Amino acid sequence: MSEQTQEPGSSAPRRVVVAGAGMAGVQTAVALREQGFTGDVILIGAEPHQPYDRPPLSKAVLLGKSEGSAFDVDFEALGIELRLGCEVLGVRPADHELDTEVGPVPYDVLVVATGAEPVRLPGTDGVPGVHLLRTLDDAERLRPVLARRHDIVVVGAGWIGAEFATAAREAGCAVTVVEAAERPLAGALPAEVAAPMAGWYTDAGADLRTHARVERVEPGAVVLDDGSRLPADAVVVGIGARPATAWLAGSGIALGTHGEIVADEHLRTTLPDVYAVGDCASFPSGRYGERLLIHHWDNALQGPRTVAVNIVGGATGEPSAVYDPVPYFWSEQFGRFVQYAGHHPAADTTLWRGDPSGPAWTVCWLRGERLVALLAVGRPRDLAQGRRLIESGTAMNPVLLADPARPMKAATA
């Protein structure tokens, strides 16, 4: 395809360049075609692999049940040009060019969808046997480790740590999980909600150690700050992720306190003709009255639709589509299907449906009479109904809502 860009005086973009070939980037490219965009669409990815989905990496791919998780998208039929194995280096807004390691790429509209990168454990760069789990290559390096049923130490009892520990136990590995906080998911859920989840590790045969900080990693062992030595043929680090935005330094794109791109309600950045979507960007939520930064799959699926509508519609005026979703994610861990919808920090009431010591229960968060978030363990119907109730802002009856035998949709005021 030609490298020529938009002609002076023309209003409609002729070329959209998408930086990042993960879920957010792929869905943006596809959504542009679904919205009727007929210009050039160029999708640039740093990895050499065909674009793929990430959730199976900690499950089927890791356990050897699947060789990959490539998206079922016919890029050629959609007229989407793939440029893979190509790292982006910067943006020059005055020239409307994206700098890459193979040269500049002109754009009329640029969409930044570079996602997030895992936080590394200090002092472990180059240490043999230390792994991250973010990419297909990471999963393929870990697969033989699990197959050999090694002693594994997982650093971090967050979502990814729990999912990896689940897979490692399923593979027959001895697993120790070390967490600096006093409980699993300390940064994600309130103490009373996360507390029952600590028992899941024990039930699965994994050793969970809280209030445990890693002092150093040695060949074959992890040394904690209390002097304890844990045998470790492999160490898997899952201590969080941060937006992959370092390459934007000096571009003029405003970044937030977590290094994320500060997008507006239309997912536009502070540069003209540049949008941002997915894990790398935060956005203002009118629903929750605060800026949200969401590192979850559903955000990378939903946001691109807003971006595509605004790119296509913005050619004839101001962008019209506002992005204000009910956040959603799920996790499969220790034989349980965990789902979360909404945003709970602004709630003033916490309400339980069912016994958290049992196999299935739900926690609901309300602000006044309105449901603002819920966590459902083994209760997918609660999640589906609750998500719709959050979206509609329906007033709830707390007494009825606390009855786990009553459908949530029948617990309205």
Side-chain angles (χ1 to χ4, degrees), residues 71-233:
F71 290 112
D72 185 18
V73 175
D74 191 335
F75 295 100
E76 184 176 0
L78 290 172
I80 297 169
E81 180 182 350
L82 294 180
R83 299 188 184 182
L84 303 176
C86 178
E87 187 174 355
V88 292
L89 303 176
V91 180
R92 286 178 287 113
D95 299 321
H96 264 57
E97 286 188 337
L98 177 72
D99 286 325
T100 76
E101 61 184 358
V102 296
V105 181
Y107 65 85
D108 295 328
V109 175
L110 173 65
V111 181
V112 181
T114 45
E117 56 192 7
V119 175
R120 297 178 179 273
L121 187 66
T124 60
D125 285 350
V127 177
V130 178
H131 300 262
L132 300 169
L133 181 53
R134 181 74 182 180
T135 68
L136 179 60
D137 289 340
D138 292 337
E140 290 181 344
R141 281 190 289 267
L142 276 164
R143 187 158 56 186
V145 174
L146 266 61
R148 289 194 293 268
R149 299 185 178 182
H150 278 174
D151 290 328
I152 294 177
V153 171
V154 180
V155 183
W159 299 112
I160 190 65
E163 290 185 359
F164 179 81
T166 299
R169 286 298 301 138
E170 185 176 336
C173 299
V175 178
T176 302
V177 181
V178 297
E179 169 57 52
E182 73 279 7
R183 63 182 187 276
L185 296 166
L189 296 173
E192 68 271 20
V193 177
M197 299 177 176
W200 298 356
Y201 289 79
T202 302
D203 294 345
D207 180 12
L208 173 64
R209 301 197 181 191
T210 56
H211 297 285
R213 293 185 178 275
V214 175
E215 179 71 26
R216 64 185 182 275
V217 178
E218 300 176 347
V222 171
V223 181
L224 303 182
D225 60 357
D226 65 358
S228 302
R229 294 176 61 85
L230 307 176
D233 297 302

Side-chain angles (χ1 to χ4, degrees), residues 277-364:
V277 67
D279 292 1
C280 65
S282 66
F283 58 91
S285 171
R287 186 188 308 275
Y288 291 106
E290 62 181 284
R291 180 166 286 275
L292 300 182
L293 174 60
I294 302 172
H295 285 182
H296 291 298
W297 185 91
D298 192 65
N299 180 51
L301 173 68
Q302 303 295 340
R305 299 169 185 171
T306 299
V307 170
V309 168
N310 286 332
I311 290 174
V312 173
T316 57
E318 281 295 303
S320 59
V322 170
Y323 189 57
D324 194 10
V326 173
Y328 167 74
F329 70 89
W330 80 96
S331 177
E332 296 178 65
Q333 49 186 269
F334 307 118
R336 294 166 175 85
F337 187 42
V338 183
Q339 295 172 283
Y340 178 97
H343 183 65
H344 68 267
D348 50 40
T349 302
T350 302
L351 185 150
W352 295 77
R353 287 169 55 84
D355 183 356
S357 66
W361 45 274
T362 297
V363 180
C364 300

